[in-house]
Amino acid sequence: MGFDGPLYAFSLFTPTIISQLGRSICGSVCLGAEHSLGFSSNQANLLSVPVYVWGCILTCIIGFLGDRLGCRYHINLGLFGIGLVAYIILIVSSNAALSYFAVYLAVSAIYPIIPNSVAWVASNIEGTYKRSVTLGIAIGFGNIHGAVTANIVSCVVVIFTLSHAQGLYSIVLGPNIG
């Protein structure tokens, strides 16, 4: 469940990146004090909706492909690779537009991998009691990971380098433990 942590942090840093994008667009073009600060927090939250819609669409597509092709592990490895690239861009980038692109890459990996992994684990465990305990442990540790990640993000308000590095760490370890 290597992507549960980045999933929790994702909703916390996405509006900030969109708000920075508004500053870079409006900072040099718009005149007036109310426009020079970029998008308001409400606007930034509303502009994050297309990111989540994209994640929903890809989750449905990946779920369909995982069922039809029967190779959930290989799909997960590809998604881990996409997430790796996304978080490297988020750590290195100081350009808001590039960070926004990396947000779309990250959601392309983070959202589909969780249900795909849960279905993969559930289909590989025999017996209802073993399956229920295994899924409970996997999802429980994923949620604990998410709580840690959310606390890391709340400590670093403006610069998310530590949070992105923790997300990258989770992605690197994900195929090995998840």
Side-chain angles (χ1 to χ4, degrees):
M1 304 309 294
F3 264 52
D4 273 2
L7 173 70
Y8 286 95
F10 189 81
S11 62
L12 296 174
F13 69 75
T14 302
T16 303
I17 290 175
I18 292 172
S19 177
Q20 290 173 352
L21 181 66
R23 276 190 210 101
S24 67
I25 292 172
C26 291
S28 61
V29 176
C30 300
L31 300 174
E34 68 276 359
H35 294 292
S36 64
L37 296 177
F39 298 121
S40 69
S41 56
N42 287 339
Q43 290 171 327
N45 281 322
L46 285 175
L47 288 171
S48 68
V49 171
V51 175
Y52 297 117
V53 169
W54 177 248
C56 176
I57 291 169
L58 279 181
T59 300
C60 293
I61 292 170
I62 295 296
F64 179 79
L65 288 175
D67 284 342
R68 294 295 180 251
L69 299 176
C71 56
R72 294 187 190 276
Y73 179 72
H74 300 294
I75 292 172
N76 278 358
L77 284 180
L79 292 173
F80 275 115
I82 292 169
L84 187 70
V85 170
Y87 273 91
I88 288 173
I89 292 171
L90 283 169
I91 289 172
V92 176
S93 173
S94 60
N95 183 354
L98 183 60
S99 295
Y100 191 59
F101 169 73
V103 164
Y104 273 95
L105 273 182
V107 80
S108 299
I110 292 171
Y111 274 76
I113 204 167
I114 294 171
N116 195 44
S117 297
V118 169
W120 177 48
V121 169
S123 65
N124 284 323
I125 304 295
E126 291 289 328
T128 57
Y129 296 120
K130 284 185 195 176
R131 184 178 301 132
S132 63
V133 169
T134 303
L135 286 175
I137 289 171
I139 293 170
F141 277 118
N143 287 336
I144 290 170
H145 185 198
V148 170
T149 303
N151 285 319
I152 290 173
V153 171
S154 67
C155 294
V156 184
V157 177
V158 178
I159 303 171
F160 294 104
T161 306
L162 181 61
S163 172
H164 295 325
Q166 191 275 333
L168 183 64
Y169 170 76
S170 301
I171 293 168
V172 169
L173 285 183
N176 300 322
I177 61 172

